[in-house]
Structure formats: C-alpha cells, structure tokens
Amino acid sequence: MIVPFLIMLREGIEAALIVGIVASYLVRSGRREWLPALWIGVGLACAVSLAAGAALDVVVGELPQRGQELFEAVIGLIAAAMLTSMVFWMRKAARSIKGELQAGVDAALSGAHQGLALVGLAFLAVVREGLESVFFLLAIFQQSSGWAAALGAGLGVGLAGVIGYAIYALGVKLNLRSFFRWTGILILFVAAGLVANAVRSLHEAGLWNHLQQSVYDLGTVLPADSAPGAILAGFFGYQERATLGEVLAYLAFLVPMLGLFLLGGRREQTVAAPRPDTRRSPRLKLAGIATLLLAFGGVSAFIYAAGSGARRVAQASTSDIAIAITDRTCQPAMLTIPAGKVSFVVSNRGERVLEWEILDGVMVLEERENIAPGQSRRLTTQLHPGEYAITCGLLSAPRGRLIVQASAAQPRPALTLMDMVGPAAEYRAFLSERSAALETALDALEEPEGRGDAQAAAKLRRDAVALLYGLRPATAGDAELETLYGKVRGALTADAPATAYEVRRAAATLRAALAQRTTLPDTMLAGAISLLSPPDGEATSPEEVAAARDIAKLLLPLTARVDPAVAGRVRADLVALPEDAKPGGALRALAEDLAVMRKALALPEAGRKS
C-alpha cells in the first residue's frame, strides 16, 4: 500500500501544483468561468493515459522503453516552455494597471480558440507522467489481491490533490504582488526540473549520451521513493542520483530565468483584481461532457487491461528468463543468452522501488522502471550479439554482465551510426578526463620552473607526455588535430622546451578542438594501430601500449556483436600482452587484430551519410 501511495504522490504533486497555480491566477484575474477549461485538460490527460496505457498493455504487454522516454522528454520540454512563457506573461500583467490587465486576460482567452491554451497546459501537466503511472498501476493491480494497492494509489493522488488545492487557496488569499512573485518562482523550479528530467529521458531513449558522470548519489540518505523525496521530486524535480548533464541543464535553465524574473519583478505594482462580467461558453459544456465520456472509456479500458493482464501473469511462459533483483544484487549477476528476441521477467526481492536496465556503455538499451517490492515486470527486446551491463538494484550498486552470443545460422548485424553512439560517448568522456589531467599536470609545471628546479620540471614534463599519448588516437586522420598534438608534444620534448605558460596554452587549444569532435571507432582504431606500429628503430612506450589497450577494451563489446571470432582473438592478445610486450610478439599480433577489428566495425557508406 505504501509504495503505490508514494509513487502516485510523487507523480501527482507536479501536476496538482501547476493546475493549482493556474486556477488561483484565473480567480485572481476575475476569470473564474474559465476554470472548467482547466478541468477539461486534466480529464483529457487522464482519459488518454488510461486508454493508451491499457491498449498498449493488451496489444504488446508492455510500454516500449524508447518510445516512452522520448514521449516524456518532448512533453516535458514543451511543458517547460509553456510554463516559462506563462510566468513572464503573468509578471508583465502584474505591472499593468487594472484596465490593461483585464484587456490582457481577455485577449488571452478570446477568439475562435477560447481556453485552448488552458486546456493544453493542464493536459501537458498531467499526461507527461500519465502513461508511466498507468503501467505502474497495471503491474501492481495485476499482481496484487485485495484493495490495499488501489487504496494506496488513490490516497497518493488524493493527497497530491489536497496539496494542489492548498496552493490554489493560498494564491487566492495572497495580494497580487506576492502571488505573482512566489508562484512564478515556484513554477520556474518546476520547469527546471522538467528540463533536467527531459535530459535524463533523452539519455534513456538513446539520443543523448554525453556528460553522464555521476555528480551525487543520495539514494541512501534521501531516497526518491520516500515521502520527503516524493514531495521534493514533485516540487523541484529532485532525483536521488543525478548526472553532470542533468545538473548543468537544471542550472542553465533555472539561474538565468530566475534572475530575469526577479530583476524584472522589482518594478511590479500592486493591482486590484479586476471583476469583469462572467459568461458561460456552450463549447466548454460540450467539451466537458465529451471529456467525461472519454474518461469513462479510459477507466473501462484500464479495468479490462488489469483483468486480462492478471491472467497473462498467471500464465507466464517457461521461455522467459527470470531475473531477481534486490537493493544491491541481482541473480543471476552474469547471464549468457543467444542473440535475437528475448523476454525477461524481472522480480523485485528488495525493500525499495527499483529499476532494471540493459546498458551498452553509457547508453540505455532497455529498462523497466518503478518495480515495486514483491512485484515483477516483463521486458521483451531484440538483442544483438555483444557484451552488455545490467543494473542490479540501486544504480550505485555493482553491475551485472549480460553476454549475448551469435548463432551460426544468424546473419551478422549491419552496423549503423546509432551503434557507434555508446562507444563514441565513452571515448569522449575518456578524452575529457585525460585532457583535464594533462592540464593539471601542466599547471604544476610552473612552480618548479619558477624556482629553477630543472629535475622536478623534467619529471613533470615526462608525466605530461605520458598523459598526452592517451590523446593521440583521437587525432588520427585529422590534419588540424595532428598539428595541434605535434605542437604540444614538441613544446614538451624539444631540446629547448617551451615555457609552462606556452605549453598550457597549446594544450588548451588541443583540448578545445577535441571537445568539438566525435571520434568514431574507425578513427580510434587507426590511432591505436599507429601507436603499436612505430617507425623502424623506435620502441613503443608503455603509455602508448596502455592507450591502445584502452581502445581495444572499449570496442570489444561492439566487435563481439559483429565478429565474435575477432573479439576472441583481441581478448587473447590483451591477456598475453603483459607477458610478451616485445614489438614482434603480442604487440604485433594486437596491431594486426585491431586492423581486422577496424574493418569489422567500418560503417557502410550509407551509414556514414545518415
């Protein structure tokens, strides 16, 4: 009971908050007759979520992960844009005299599309999380007996409604200056949370895989599925674990918008609420009746899906792969399966609401969210040969391993540009970390140079050169990058080396150029092969070997998908490398196998142009 209560409270607060603020604004501006338009939008969102979720459950048994995340991202960004424009329009209206305010509201709610903006805003506020909530409730109702789960979900939605009504009542009582100021600030925080959540959804849809370094993890201190976490999530878009991209998106939106709002609000004037003549719209009455009918249909579809889904759960196929997850582990933690269509049944044996993901590097291939304790969710997907990671409980817990093997009869999959996104994103993160470490080493170089300590300066230069080798593969075939790389290396290794300032400036230019490139596997491997194939008479340094080895390990999962035999040879080369690092031994074998790997991972011409 407590789990559906907290999840529906979290999902409901955000929508109730937006609806409550807009409703109080309508009352304060003397447009109470337009409140039904708001409820029509809420009713339509509920009807669409219930009907669409039930239909998907009956037809395919689950909500496609990428479609769900893309839907949430797009709706979230649209809602954030609408909320932001509403906040600044309200602030402008608050500075106007009574007559101008009345005229502005009349203009916004007049014409051929009366109330359409209100309906749309309420619809987006509710439908964004509607489908996900419907699937969560379906899974709970299909696997639970009695009324406890339904009662908990109802109480969660009811409490969210009470919070929304409290916001509405408080807004009605505040003077207009305070109302516009505080509700505007609150809405901007909500909109910032929508933007950050949209970035997360785009990542889970496979469309954004940059800046995935974890900034904080408060899962053990303030879980999102606790009562305080649910309230903070609804009001401010709180996530118990956030990546760098999500934090930057949140701040990049909130800081300038909040600054513009507060600076502009200093000129606000207290205005009296206008009291125009009210009028009723026949169109709103007809729309309200139609919305009630649609909502009834949605509820009926939901009840039917819950009943039919319960029968499907009872008749689970023996071909399903059972996964049991707890807060910190999963069983089995290592799984080997044949490539093709596969169905997992993921059961939560922990004490918290958990999710289960299949990851290709930093890219989420498939996932199931909001798996309640004691409940199971099905995930059906098409997997290509390769090695993947799986999350086991909390995202901070150690990951499991999923090996997908190709069959002899199965044709090798053709690579597309989308397949390169995961490795390219991981390599970009590696280059960023290595570039930052190089700059740190060069910053330290200035101090011994200043005091004339040649020995210490020489050691720091050697350390910097070792870090620089890790960037070289990314420069392969790019004339500009090769030139910039040569300048940094020359400044560090010349008989008359450049000053620390000059080296730092050259390294900063190289880092900026690298940040603007997306390095595909073809370029990575060309650079790695070059590191392992020095000119006659020159030896390969340990740092160069390490850089090539890192690239080989990064691309092994993708190689295993298209050519398991080559992946196996490269693994054997890497195992032999520490024992036989002579130019004619494992190094040569690795260079030759990386050349074969490069050919296996080459995109077709059509893929390069897509």
Side-chain angles (χ1 to χ4, degrees), residues 12-13 15-21 158-169 235:
I13 283 180
L17 175 68
I18 296 171
V19 172
I21 289 176
L159 181 55
V162 170
I163 293 174
Y165 180 79
I167 295 292
Y168 161 78
F235 277 91

Side-chain angles (χ1 to χ4, degrees), residues 530-553:
S530 176
L531 289 177
L532 299 176
S533 308
D536 292 339
E538 292 187 18
T540 304
S541 70
E543 292 79 17
E544 291 174 315
V545 174
R549 184 178 63 239
D550 290 339
I551 289 174
K553 288 181 177 179

